[in-house]
Amino acid sequence: MPNARAQARARFIVTRKRSRNHHYVPKCIQRHFCGEGERLWYAERNKSGRFLEPEERNIRTTFREKDRNTILLNGQPSDIVEHSFFEKLDNYLGKTIPEIVDIISEGAAPEFSEIARLDFIYAIYESLRRSPDFFDIDEASKGEELVRGQLSKLDENKDSSTIEALQATLASRYELRKLGRDIRVRAAFGETELSEKIKLELKTLEVRWAISNAKHSFALPSSGCYRVGNGGSNGLSNENVEIWMPITPKISIVLLRDPNKRIPPLINVSRDLVRRMNEYATRNSRAIASHSGHLIYSLTGYSRH
């Protein structure tokens, strides 16, 4: 007879409520940008692409999207990708980032073994590509494409019930979005790891730490990370590409290529560079946040009352 703990675990597996509000910038990162409590200044774009006026919000409601990582299992919505993939990623970042911040606050540079360095770089890249700013599709159109493809393969004399079901799906934008979302999430995270080509490119990157000692602070973009092409494309194949990931208002991870090891681990960056990076991040993000209301108002072009 199973013990009480096993019975409780079995009940949890059966009854656990499916998570639907999925953060694409994890709360463990957002907390470093909070002012009072778990609140930060936040602005997001409306459907026309214009930023709404900044407001102070709890991180429960920021950088999130309903069902962002939901897939379909046996035709039913499932949060298995959110729990089996992103929960592990967030736990890793939630443990690693505070350790890094503590080391840098003491004036030292974090050091990694080769395996730990690659794990860290892969985690940063996964943080980049989880954002809607990195990869998004018209989910309803993708779902419609799938259903129309299935309809074109059916013999209407033999599969009338299936045809009717597909036509009903075709008439529902909600159902089409669920199908399109399933395609997007599975393609990116549900069934495949990073390609070997991407891994080879990532292995050539070094980890550096940009430190702002001036009054200017890094803002937190909805992309979590952002890629800078330095005059070229922002793809990984560009030798000059950099990936920046602010982890506190004063510290940003920088991934770059430095084959001759000329760039020191800790880089003091000027207030002008911090401003340029913030403006670049804002232009390429659907939302932006900071502990500072003044900064967010400035970046989004609003005058604070």
Side-chain angles (χ1 to χ4, degrees):
M1 182 175 179
N3 61 35
R5 181 176 294 179
Q7 289 176 331
R9 185 165 56 247
R11 286 196 300 273
F12 173 78
I13 292 171
V14 173
T15 62
R16 179 180 64 79
K17 187 177 180 181
R18 175 171 67 90
S19 67
R20 299 195 63 188
N21 292 314
H22 302 161
H23 285 84
Y24 46 85
V25 177
K27 289 188 287 186
C28 65
I29 299 294
Q30 292 190 57
R31 287 190 181 97
H32 291 279
F33 291 82
C34 288
E36 196 171 315
E38 292 203 330
R39 301 179 68 82
L40 43 66
W41 284 94
Y42 183 79
E44 61 186 357
R45 297 184 190 273
N46 59 22
K47 291 182 179 179
S48 66
R50 186 177 185 275
F51 274 107
L52 300 172
E53 185 169 358
E55 58 182 346
E56 197 174 20
R57 283 168 57 173
N58 190 286
I59 61 174
R60 290 193 307 271
T61 69
T62 53
F63 299 121
R64 75 175 191 183
E65 184 177 310
K66 185 162 285 188
D67 286 319
R68 172 70 189 170
N69 302 311
T70 296
I71 64 170
L72 297 174
L73 285 181
N74 300 318
Q76 298 301 312
S78 169
D79 62 0
I80 188 171
V81 173
E82 178 71 11
H83 277 280
S84 66
F85 186 86
F86 288 112
E87 188 173 283
K88 291 179 180 177
L89 176 61
D90 292 350
N91 287 342
Y92 169 81
L93 293 173
K95 177 179 182 297
T96 305
I97 297 302
E99 293 175 353
I100 287 169
V101 172
D102 287 345
I103 292 170
I104 292 176
S105 68
E106 295 175 359
E111 296 182 0
F112 298 97
S113 68
E114 181 60 12
I115 292 176
R117 182 185 74 88
L118 292 178
D119 285 344
F120 185 69
I121 289 174
Y122 293 158
I124 301 310
Y125 189 73
E126 296 289 15
S127 298
L128 169 67
R129 73 189 192 109
R130 79 189 289 184
S131 168
D133 298 333
F134 181 81
F135 176 62
D136 223 6
I137 62 172
D138 185 331
E139 293 171 343
S141 294
K142 182 60 81 172
E144 180 179 353
E145 179 184 325
L146 173 67
V147 173
R148 290 193 182 281
Q150 291 173 333
L151 278 169
S152 68
K153 297 175 183 177
L154 293 176
D155 184 332
E156 59 186 54
N157 295 318
K158 296 180 180 179
D159 298 286
S160 58
S161 62
T162 303
I163 289 174
E164 289 175 3
L166 289 172
Q167 288 175 335
T169 299
L170 206 56
S172 170
R173 183 172 177 82
Y174 175 73
E175 294 298 325
L176 292 175
R177 283 195 66 197
K178 287 200 298 186
L179 289 172
R181 182 183 302 121
D182 180 74
I183 293 169
R184 173 184 58 76
V185 179
R186 286 181 182 274
F189 302 104
E191 296 175 341
T192 60
E193 294 185 353
L194 292 175
S195 71
E196 288 304 313
K197 181 179 180 181
I198 290 176
K199 285 184 177 181
L200 285 173
E201 295 284 6
L202 292 175
K203 287 178 181 179
T204 65
L205 298 177
E206 302 287 345
V207 183
R208 300 291 184 264
W209 314 95
I211 314 297
S212 173
N213 291 318
K215 290 184 178 180
H216 273 46
S217 299
F218 292 107
L220 180 64
S222 52
S223 55
C225 316
Y226 43 92
R227 294 174 295 176
V228 181
N230 290 309
S233 78
N234 65 1
L236 289 177
S237 60
N238 174 12
E239 287 298 315
N240 296 315
V241 72
E242 297 174 5
I243 298 174
W244 288 60
M245 180 178 177
I247 55 174
T248 79
K250 298 299 181 183
I251 304 171
S252 180
I253 299 164
V254 184
L255 304 183
L256 47 72
R257 292 184 174 92
D258 183 22
N260 297 317
K261 304 293 189 291
R262 293 177 177 174
I263 301 173
L266 300 178
I267 311 162
N268 290 316
V269 292
S270 67
R271 56 176 292 172
D272 289 342
L273 178 57
V274 174
R275 181 66 186 186
R276 290 200 302 272
M277 299 307 286
N278 283 340
E279 290 174 343
Y280 178 84
T282 304
R283 286 195 303 271
N284 292 282
S285 298
R286 64 177 57 193
I288 195 83
S290 172
H291 69 293
S292 167
H294 174 78
L295 176 57
I296 296 303
Y297 269 87
S298 174
L299 289 172
T300 55
Y302 281 91
S303 297
R304 196 167 183 181
H305 306 303

